[in-house]
């Protein structure tokens, strides 16, 4: 009996730990409007209200296309979390993790500006939505990248998307758009694609009448749909079954 009880406790504890650990896989979609408030009170003093880095000499300019296209949201998140050593950029660890993602999301809207995103949306709905889905989640076509998946998007660079759009993706149905869309149009498509990961941007301009509204988008994949989440859930279910079985057996033996 003693052995069974110990084994049961080990299983119960590991069950709790696996549930606690699974929380890390949850990545909410950031809110640009929340980010705007945080930015204006914490960041604009150096980066400028327009994000162009004019308020303090040397502060990063979020409208600088040549720099932005080689960045990603994770790099920005880390800069906000840790600060940038040997520069004036301080750490904002005091902000909660979701609020840090919000302000990082807002900082991207200086590059993915409303005019570019608006043109990009029209281009996207006309040329891309049939395969990539009006919500960017690839629902129109199996096996395509999910532009609404936050945990994947935060690692992407705009430059990589631009290359795929310009040259196509070899061995897949993704065609090259070099000859049918101008360079500017291709960049605006990237800017629009960038916005699927945000909860509330651009959100406001009306969609053309022929397509369903993109205002309400489904959330990114919750943690339990990620491979790691699946493994954790499977292990948890197996452990629960084992614990119940062992308890039942222990009871009988008593
Ligand atoms: C005291 C001035 C100051 C404040 C306040 C400040 N920054 Fe910065 N920030 C800087 C400077 C200076 C740099 C440039 C560092 C460098 O050379 O990379 C920088 C760099 C950055 C970068 C890194 C860009 C890169 O090179 O990858 C990000 C992202 C950033 N800031 C976001 C923010 C956000 C968001 C806030 C507000 C929550 C904020 N900053 C507040 C001064 C500031
Ligand atoms: C005929 C279907 C189809 C059309 C139309 C299409 N795509 Fe694709 N696209 C695909 C497939 C398939 C892939 C390759 C699988 C993947 O990586 O998602 C892909 C890949 C991509 C990628 C690379 C994603 C990654 O893995 O890094 C981007 C960016 C992209 N498409 C954007 C666009 C844009 C913008 C348009 C419209 C101008 C467009 N696509 C039109 C099917 C299509």
């Amino acid at each position: 009996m003693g052995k069974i009880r110990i084994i049961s406790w080990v299983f119960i504890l590991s069950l709790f730990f696996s549930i606690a650990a699974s929380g890390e896989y949850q990545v909410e979609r950031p809110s640009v409007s929340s980010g705007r408030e945080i930015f204006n009170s914490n960041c604009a003093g150096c980066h400028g209200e327009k994000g162009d880095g004019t308020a303090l000499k040397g502060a990063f300019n979020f409208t600088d296309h040549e720099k932005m296209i080689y960045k990603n949201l994770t790099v920005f998140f880390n800069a906000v979390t840790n600060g940038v050593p040997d520069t004036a950029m301080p750490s904002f660890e005091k902000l909660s993790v979701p609020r840090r993602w919000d302000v990082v999301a807002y900082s991207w809207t200086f590059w993915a500006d409303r005019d570019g995103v608006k043109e990009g949306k029209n281009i996207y709905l006309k040329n891309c939505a049939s395969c990539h889905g009006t919500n960017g989640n690839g629902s129109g076509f199996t096996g395509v990248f999910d532009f609404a998946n936050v945990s994947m998007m935060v690692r992407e660079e705009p430059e990589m998307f631009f290359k795929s759009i310009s040259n196509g993706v070899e061995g897949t149905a993704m065609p090259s758009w070099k000859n049918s869309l101008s360079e500017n149009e291709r960049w605006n498509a990237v800017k629009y694609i960038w916005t699927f990961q945000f909860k509330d941007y651009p959100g406001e301009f009306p969609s053309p009448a022929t397509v369903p509204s993109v205002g309400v988008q489904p959330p990114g994949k919750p943690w339990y749909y990620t491979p790691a989440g699946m493994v954790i859930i499977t292990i948890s279910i197996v452990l629960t079954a084992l614990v119940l079985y062992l308890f039942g057996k222990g009871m009988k033996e008593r």
Side-chain angles (χ1 to χ4, degrees):
M1 176 55 215
K3 224 187 245 167
I4 287 178
R5 194 177 286 169
I6 289 171
I7 291 172
S8 304
W9 274 114
V10 169
F11 278 138
I12 290 174
L13 282 178
S14 53
L15 180 65
F16 274 123
F17 278 122
S18 56
I19 287 174
S22 63
E24 282 178 27
Y25 295 97
Q26 187 165 19
V27 182
E28 277 173 42
R29 297 217 285 142
S31 160
V32 165
S33 55
S34 148
R36 182 189 298 129
E37 279 175 34
I38 299 167
F39 189 92
N40 286 338
S41 45
N42 293 279
C43 324
C46 293
H47 290 281
E49 211 152 296
K50 296 203 169 88
D52 52 9
T54 47
L56 176 87
K57 203 171 175 282
F60 190 79
N61 174 1
F62 298 106
T63 66
D64 185 339
H65 180 78
E66 288 309 317
K67 285 199 175 138
M68 290 300 283
I69 62 175
Y70 297 106
K71 301 282 181 185
N72 65 38
L73 273 88
T74 305
V75 167
F76 280 9
F77 180 84
N78 291 339
V80 171
T81 300
N82 306 317
V84 181
D86 306 320
T87 74
M89 175 63 192
S91 154
F92 285 90
E93 232 171 355
K94 60 171 192 211
L95 292 173
S96 70
V97 169
R99 297 296 81 77
R100 269 178 253 157
W101 283 116
D102 288 350
V103 75
V104 164
Y106 179 64
S107 71
W108 276 95
T109 63
F110 300 117
W111 170 75
D113 60 299
R114 299 190 76 83
D115 287 345
V117 167
K118 188 172 180 172
E119 202 209 5
K121 181 175 183 177
N122 291 332
I123 293 164
Y124 181 91
L125 292 174
K126 206 152 99 203
N127 303 289
C128 326
S130 56
C131 291
H132 289 278
T134 43
N135 293 329
N137 58 7
S139 62
F141 209 80
T142 41
V144 295
F145 193 91
D146 180 357
F147 299 129
N149 184 322
V150 182
S151 42
M152 277 154 82
M153 284 299 286
V154 294
R155 293 189 179 84
E156 295 291 329
E157 286 173 18
E159 165 71 7
M160 300 303 288
F161 279 179
F162 182 78
K163 273 203 184 118
S164 298
I165 294 167
S166 301
N167 306 325
V169 180
E170 240 187 85
T172 77
M174 175 67 185
S176 155
W177 296 90
K178 218 181 255 165
N179 299 322
S180 40
L181 296 173
S182 72
E183 191 176 328
N184 200 38
E185 286 172 323
R186 276 174 270 145
W187 275 120
N188 286 337
V190 177
K191 289 179 182 180
Y192 180 60
I193 285 176
W194 215 248
T195 67
F196 287 122
Q197 63 191 307
F198 304 141
K199 194 191 276 173
D200 49 4
Y201 181 84
E204 283 127 59
F205 45 74
S207 342
T210 45
V211 289
S213 165
V214 190
V216 183
Q217 292 158 4
K221 276 186 195 164
W223 67 267
Y224 43 84
Y225 281 142
T226 62
M230 296 281 189
V231 169
I232 284 164
I233 285 179
T234 312
I235 291 174
S236 303
I237 290 171
V238 169
L239 287 181
T240 313
L242 252 169
V243 168
L244 289 176
Y245 168 72
L246 284 175
F247 262 124
K249 213 173 151 197
M251 289 297 187
K252 256 185 230 160
E253 273 177 26
R254 237 194 254 214

